[in-house]
Amino acid sequence: NFADNHDQNRLSSLLTKTEYLYTEYLMLFTLPGVPSVYYGSEWGIKGEKTAASDADVRPYIDIEHIQPEEPALEEHIKKLNHIRNNNEVLCHGSYRQVYIQYQKPLIYERNYNGKNAVIAVNIRDEEDTVDIRQFGRDFYDVLNDEHISAGSLQSLQIPPHWGRILL
């Protein structure tokens, strides 16, 4: 799975806000399939094809002197990669859509060998909440390094353009 590649406009050029990159990569690394990050995309590099050339989507990058368009994105992608590689449910698990509604957090679940992950993604410009009572158990949010006690919470807050990976 990929968000952009050598044959299309770079994702950073298509999105109206750079904040959207964070939720895009969160989904790329937690949905079924093998995530692929096109070189330079980890820095938010822009590039668009024209009728005459597609060279802008394949620029030379001097990594010794890179000036990232979105400096925190590389660390976010590294963290997502680490989370995925250390949780087989995200690599091999089945997919079940739990909740989808326009302008509300997307929630989906992955299951594998008795392990479960619930992923909640907030693409909005403001914080939102997710009702976690439906899951009826405690979680550890590996993305935000937080223990979640379902018995003491009715809803879980999700910052804007961010998410939760609940194991």
Side-chain angles (χ1 to χ4, degrees), residues 71-99:
L73 186 60
E74 180 181 10
E75 288 306 313
H76 178 63
I77 291 172
K78 283 180 184 178
K79 184 172 188 174
L80 291 169
N81 188 55
H82 177 77
I83 290 169
R84 177 183 161 76
N85 287 337
N86 288 287
N87 293 283
E88 64 184 356
V89 67
L90 296 174
C91 295
H92 308 292
S94 62
Y95 171 86
R96 183 177 76 88
Q97 185 172 295
V98 175
Y99 183 82

Side-chain angles (χ1 to χ4, degrees), residues 25-85:
Y25 284 107
L26 172 59
M27 292 189 310
L28 184 68
F29 278 84
T30 58
L31 284 167
V34 177
S36 175
V37 178
Y38 184 51
Y39 86 101
S41 294
E42 68 273 28
W43 297 307
I45 290 176
K46 297 180 187 283
E48 295 185 45
K49 292 172 68 167
T50 65
S53 172
D54 62 355
D56 280 351
V57 299
R58 302 181 276 102
Y60 167 77
I61 298 174
D62 179 356
I63 60 172
E64 299 294 324
H65 301 96
I66 186 73
Q67 296 293 318
E69 300 277 338
E70 189 59 28
L73 186 60
E74 180 181 10
E75 288 306 313
H76 178 63
I77 291 172
K78 283 180 184 178
K79 184 172 188 174
L80 291 169
N81 188 55
H82 177 77
I83 290 169
R84 177 183 161 76
N85 287 337

Side-chain angles (χ1 to χ4, degrees), residues 79 83 87 90 140-146 165-167:
K79 184 172 188 174
I83 290 169
N87 293 283
L90 296 174
Y140 176 64
D141 181 350
V142 292
L143 181 61
N144 301 290
D145 192 26
E146 182 181 355
I165 303 173
L166 307 173
L167 301 177

